[in-house]
Amino acid sequence: MAKVNLTIDGQSVDVEEGTNLIEAARQIGVEVPHYCYHPGLKIDGNCRMCLVDIEKSPKPQIACNTKVAPGMVVHTQTDKVKKMRASVMEFLLINHPLDCPTCDQAGECRLQDYYMKYDRIPSRFEETKVHKDKMIDLGSSVMLDQERCIACTRCIRFCRDVAGQDELALANRGDHVTITTFPGKKLSNPYAGNVVDICPVGALTSDEFRFKKRVWYLKRTPSVCTGCSRGCNIEVHHEGNKIYRLIPRYNPNVNQYWMCDEGRHGYHFVNDNRVLRAQIIKNGAMQEVSFAEAAAYLASQLKTMNSSEIATISHAGETNEVLKAFDEFSKNVLKTDLRYYSRNEVKNPSSDTILRTADKNPNQAYINDLKLKPVSEIKNAQAALVLNGLSEADFEILKKKNIPILAIFAANVGDALPHASVVCPIPTFAEQDGHLTNVNAVVQKISQAFAPRGESRLVGEWLDAITLALGMSAKKAEAVSVF
Ligand code: SF4
Ligand code: SF4
């Protein structure tokens, strides 16, 4: 696309034709404050916070809806511009309830941030503020506080233009304006949680996150959603080895600015229901043991078996690195050709043309690359080594074929666990680095947010310890440098 040269605050800049002034300024590190503008939404131009001076223009212009033009000279810091920003802030804050001490948006609220940057004028308002309803359950886990809303319409535009469901609207006028769903209807689109992320103030909050954690305590780790094969880019927000929320991370090639609610709320398996200690069958009952004892016990069991009759069952939810290490262990250490995989099977899976795919496995693509067979094709084996759980159907197949589970590498408690002779706790996606290959063959990185829970160990560590206990030399399976 052709480039346009213009001047912003005295700096010459070349930007693509069609760029608006907020984005053009951003490219040279100049922030033009805004509420209603969002790069992923259609432009509305209602908040007036982004007014800038343009030479030869008789009056200030909104930067969000003004495209760059050759030779344009823009000023974002003139006295007139600063006075306009302060006036917009004063206007927005007239009826604002100033709930900051209890508001979940505190710490990432544009009213707070811009007040400190552009306003800092004591309130001149002496009348009684307009009071509106608080704690309205809009649906989809989204709570509305009408008093905090600044009527920027971001949420309305998101539902209408991105989620494709026209569920929200403005009602009333002037200082009684509020957003609302249509009478008798709830917010129910599968992407509704995004309105919480894009609300620039604390009017829309997540029922799941409200009052759980002040945001400045949260650490943010870039990662990828494991809820389906789309692999939306996300940030994991966590503290003290616990996830408090997932929010989308911009990737123009995968998910733009968004994620679905299934993925957003699908992190509880990291916090709850975890396998924290290794277990082995001893005297007919499961007993907790150390990592070393479990690895040695598993190796001693493997030594008694015909290795070519041991089946290994990978899982379409693990990373490329883990799958490769498990597969190499199967081929090179166990020397078995009985290499299968299990996958999360969902009845009537949700899917659409926005992001959600019907395949709820984040890494089926890499399983396909490894050319593993589904468990339904398993015939006979002495025993099975299972990576990260079995689907219900696959568990039934093993039971029917009388194939005992020798070991299961598991992050969460599941139906198959009590049937395994050895349980090896492993980390979830939030506790390890690695890569996942999405439905379009895009290889994406996940990063460790916090250390593995309890005494869980990386799959590679387990495989190395078992290999050593079998009297073979281990070659740091986790460090396979193929990506
Ligand atoms: S609820 Fe938030 S996003 Fe929606 S109009 Fe009000 S301030 Fe804007
Ligand atoms: S579309 Fe799939 S990958 Fe994206 S957020 Fe939803 S579940 Fe996660």
Side-chain angles (χ1 to χ4, degrees):
M1 201 175 270
K3 291 275 185 184
V4 171
N5 179 267
L6 72 160
T7 304
I8 301 174
D9 291 347
Q11 287 190 63
S12 171
V13 53
D14 291 314
V15 297
E16 278 184 5
E17 198 176 42
T19 308
N20 69 49
L21 290 182
I22 290 182
E23 296 302 337
R26 209 195 297 270
Q27 289 184 26
I28 53 165
V30 172
E31 186 207 34
V32 178
H34 53 273
Y35 289 105
C36 69
Y37 172 72
H38 185 288
L41 300 176
K42 288 184 183 161
I43 288 167
D44 208 40
N46 66 55
C47 77
R48 321 311 285 178
M49 190 65 186
C50 67
L51 284 164
V52 291
D53 270 334
I54 301 173
E55 286 186 11
K56 297 189 184 144
S57 170
K59 55 181 188 169
Q61 301 293 324
I62 48 173
C64 65
N65 207 22
T66 305
K67 300 272 195 301
V68 292
M72 192 181 241
V73 180
V74 182
H75 299 282
T76 75
Q77 298 296 331
T78 59
D79 286 346
K80 193 160 64 170
V81 166
K82 286 180 183 167
K83 190 158 185 294
M84 284 183 302
R85 286 177 188 163
S87 301
V88 170
M89 287 301 302
E90 185 176 30
F91 176 71
L92 289 175
L93 288 169
I94 283 178
N95 284 303
H96 193 76
L98 298 180
D99 290 336
C100 311
T102 56
C103 177
D104 276 296
Q105 194 82 2
E108 49 189 22
C109 172
R110 291 202 184 198
L111 279 174
Q112 283 187 332
D113 295 348
Y114 290 169
Y115 175 79
M116 297 309 290
K117 256 185 168 165
Y118 304 113
D119 185 3
R120 298 185 93 153
I121 299 168
S123 174
R124 292 182 289 165
F125 192 68
E126 290 174 354
E127 292 75 14
T128 307
K129 290 190 184 230
V130 175
H131 290 295
K132 299 179 191 168
D133 291 336
K134 298 177 96 69
M135 276 182 54
I136 299 168
D137 178 4
L138 282 186
S140 293
S141 240
V142 176
M143 302 292 281
L144 167 66
D145 186 313
Q146 289 181 332
E147 291 184 341
R148 297 178 191 162
C149 173
I150 58 167
C152 73
T153 74
R154 276 183 175 191
C155 55
I156 297 173
R157 283 175 281 147
F158 172 83
C159 291
R160 186 188 62 209
D161 302 329
V162 181
Q165 292 185 31
D166 212 352
E167 293 177 319
L168 293 173
L170 284 177
N172 305 325
R173 292 187 175 212
D175 55 13
H176 282 71
V177 74
T178 182
I179 63 151
T180 181
T181 50
F182 293 97
K185 301 270 186 198
K186 287 273 189 191
L187 186 63
S188 62
N189 76 72
Y191 293 86
N194 292 286
V195 300
V196 173
D197 304 329
I198 59 175
C199 180
V201 302
L204 297 177
T205 51
S206 156
D207 200 18
E208 199 170 272
F209 182 71
R210 280 162 70 83
F211 310 125
K212 297 284 188 317
K213 185 62 71 182
R214 304 307 291 183
V215 297
W216 47 88
Y217 291 123
L218 292 171
K219 295 177 190 70
R220 299 162 179 242
T221 305
S223 193
V224 171
C225 175
T226 56
C228 81
S229 61
R230 178 70 62 201
C232 293
N233 291 213
I234 56 168
E235 266 184 19
V236 176
H237 289 193
H238 55 96
E239 205 243 349
N241 288 18
K242 185 175 171 186
I243 296 182
Y244 283 87
R245 65 179 177 182
L246 304 180
I247 65 163
R249 185 165 56 91
Y250 177 62
N251 183 330
N253 300 317
V254 177
N255 56 307
Q256 293 290 323
Y257 298 89
W258 322 115
M259 70 186 298
C260 80
D261 285 2
E262 279 171 53
R264 182 184 297 274
H265 301 300
Y267 62 84
H268 295 281
F269 73 96
V270 177
N271 295 342
D272 308 320
N273 205 27
R274 294 292 300 274
V275 184
L276 298 175
R277 295 259 297 153
Q279 297 162 42
I280 62 172
I281 289 268
K282 240 186 190 175
N283 306 324
M286 279 308 239
Q287 297 194 8
E288 291 188 346
V289 293
S290 68
F291 162 71
E293 199 176 339
Y297 178 80
L298 178 50
S300 70
Q301 296 294 299
L302 286 167
K303 277 181 187 164
T304 67
M305 292 177 192
N306 181 352
S307 79
S308 64
E309 289 185 358
I310 295 167
T312 56
I313 303 177
S314 290
H315 195 275
E318 284 295 329
T319 62
N320 297 0
E321 287 82 351
V322 167
L323 290 171
K324 185 168 175 61
F326 195 66
D327 200 45
E328 288 196 343
F329 176 80
S330 309
K331 287 190 288 195
N332 303 332
V333 178
L334 298 183
K335 305 201 186 305
T336 179
D337 289 330
L338 308 180
R339 291 151 44 236
Y340 302 92
Y341 73 91
S342 185
R343 48 183 274 136
N344 181 18
E345 296 285 0
V346 177
K347 281 187 193 134
N348 305 318
S350 55
S351 68
D352 53 42
T353 54
I354 303 173
L355 292 175
R356 296 181 303 165
T357 63
D359 180 359
K360 300 303 172 191
N361 298 279
N363 211 359
Q364 183 63 38
Y366 195 70
I367 291 273
N368 296 345
D369 283 354
L370 290 175
K371 306 210 179 335
L372 303 177
K373 295 185 208 126
V375 173
S376 55
E377 290 183 24
I378 200 167
K379 297 207 167 55
N380 293 314
Q382 273 185 322
L385 251 64
V386 175
L387 175 63
N388 190 8
L390 282 169
S391 71
E392 219 174 290
D394 291 343
F395 184 35
E396 287 306 316
I397 290 171
L398 291 194
K399 279 203 287 190
K400 216 166 160 189
K401 292 195 172 287
N402 251 333
I403 301 173
I405 301 172
L406 174 57
I408 187 160
F409 299 86
N412 290 95
V413 176
D415 289 347
L417 248 59
H419 299 265
S421 302
V422 188
V423 176
C424 308
I426 58 170
T428 61
F429 78 98
E431 298 152 286
Q432 59 186 313
D433 293 327
H435 293 80
L436 295 165
T437 306
N438 89 346
V439 64
N440 297 318
V442 181
V443 178
Q444 306 192 94
K445 187 175 189 305
I446 61 166
S447 304
Q448 185 186 51
F450 41 83
R453 280 272 192 112
E455 293 179 22
S456 47
R457 302 291 186 106
L458 297 173
V459 171
E461 288 182 54
W462 279 109
L463 300 181
D464 286 349
I466 297 160
T467 307
L468 288 171
L470 284 169
M472 301 167 77
S473 60
K475 60 154 194 156
K476 278 268 164 263
E478 208 70 26
V480 199
S481 55
V482 285
F483 303 102

